[in-house]
Amino acid sequence: MGLSIVLAATVLLVSACGKDPVSIPNLRLSAADEAVCQRVADALPSHLGGKSRRKTQPAEALGGAWGDPPLVVQCGVGAPAELTRTSHCTVVDGVGWFLPPEEESDPSADAVLSTVGYKPVLQLTVPAQDRGSVLAAAEVELAPVVKAQLRAVRRCL
């Protein structure tokens, strides 16, 4: 039985290593925002929503990816066009998150959430299949990183 456990662990390790890196686009950021986003990327957890971290492309991407299909976090994105001063947002562990209304009302769509009231903006993309089981956990797990690394500029309404 011990050998089969070792073989199963080896197969899992090889299959996890064989996954292609997740592409995270490079963004043009100010030097100050790039420095903040690098600290965010360095502080991201090894597991998010119960999923293991994956390699990203480029390796120095200002974000991270977990699982398959991947949850993706990217720092330094622009605020969503739908986000206004009166938009509804959800506060999880002291961090405001905005989910566009059309995604909020469509559970079959990927959820693309953005931090509200922090600079630079952090974006979390959760695949549709993981919305129910992973989304809330990921928001909770990212809250300490957001609060420690990003600059609070206003409160979530």
Side-chain angles (χ1 to χ4, degrees):
M1 179 155 199
L3 182 58
S4 62
I5 291 173
V6 170
L7 287 174
T10 303
V11 168
L12 284 174
L13 181 62
V14 169
S15 64
C17 293
K19 290 181 185 172
D20 291 332
V22 176
S23 292
I24 297 179
N26 281 329
L27 302 174
R28 290 183 173 217
L29 302 176
S30 68
D33 283 355
E34 186 170 340
V36 169
C37 286
Q38 185 59 61
R39 288 193 302 271
V40 167
D42 293 343
L44 290 171
S46 61
H47 289 81
L48 187 64
K51 298 178 179 280
S52 297
R53 188 141 184 192
R54 291 182 54 184
K55 291 183 179 183
T56 57
Q57 181 179 302
E60 65 280 354
L62 298 176
W66 297 260
D68 186 21
L71 285 93
V72 178
V73 169
Q74 184 169 16
C75 183
V77 300
E82 305 92 339
L83 180 62
T84 67
R85 283 215 161 286
T86 59
S87 293
H88 169 74
C89 61
T90 303
V91 178
V92 178
D93 277 3
V95 174
W97 293 93
F98 173 75
L99 178 63
E102 65 276 1
E103 291 175 22
E104 189 169 4
S105 64
D106 182 2
S108 66
D110 291 351
V112 182
L113 299 102
S114 301
T115 53
V116 175
Y118 288 90
K119 294 292 180 188
V121 174
L122 188 73
Q123 183 180 74
L124 166 64
T125 302
V126 178
Q129 70 187 49
D130 292 324
R131 283 180 66 149
S133 60
V134 173
L135 188 129
E139 289 173 312
V140 168
E141 293 165 4
L142 289 171
V145 175
V146 170
K147 292 187 287 190
Q149 304 299 332
L150 299 179
R151 180 173 42 97
V153 294
R154 70 177 180 98
R155 292 183 49 163
C156 178
L157 300 175

